[in-house]
Amino acid sequence: MSQFGADKFTTASRDAIEAAQLSATTAGNTTTEPIHLLVALLRQEVGGARTLVANAGVDGKTLATQAEAVAQALPRASGATVQQPGASAALTRVLASAIELAGSMKD
């Protein structure tokens, strides 16, 4: 997240990004993916993701279960030489787009 600057995100967003990174690390994934972030956002007790999903007519628990299954199916690495996962290109694009959108909204 450092390439984006933590100050560009809300506290809840930073918490979700950190949770996504921890999830990828714990699972042994080689990169942190957007699906890790989705799962983290849906797990937050406070935040807009659950509300947005519900307002879109989607069952949040079902979506979270499906997202967790996708995250669990990601490739894993193990062993002494495995490094902490970095942000994938896809996650980098998602975060860059979020910053761009927030900037356009003066948020």
Side-chain angles (χ1 to χ4, degrees):
M1 182 170 74
S2 62
Q3 71 259 33
F4 297 103
D7 61 318
K8 302 214 183 252
F9 294 97
T10 65
T11 300
S13 296
R14 286 192 302 267
D15 290 347
I17 293 166
E18 289 174 12
Q21 291 171 330
L22 180 61
S23 177
T25 301
T26 303
N29 300 129
T30 56
T31 57
T32 304
E33 298 290 342
I35 195 72
H36 293 111
L37 183 58
L38 176 61
V39 170
L41 287 167
L42 292 171
R43 285 182 179 167
Q44 285 183 326
E45 293 297 323
V46 178
R50 285 184 179 188
T51 303
L52 288 172
V53 166
N55 288 344
V58 176
D59 179 54
K61 290 186 181 200
T62 300
L63 180 59
T65 299
Q66 291 172 339
E68 288 169 1
V70 170
Q72 290 175 1
L74 292 172
R76 298 171 186 253
S78 62
T81 60
V82 176
Q83 297 181 11
Q84 181 172 342
S88 69
L91 181 60
T92 300
R93 286 190 301 274
V94 166
L95 297 176
S97 293
I99 291 170
E100 184 179 319
L101 180 61
S104 72
M105 297 170 59
K106 305 275 191 256
D107 192 19

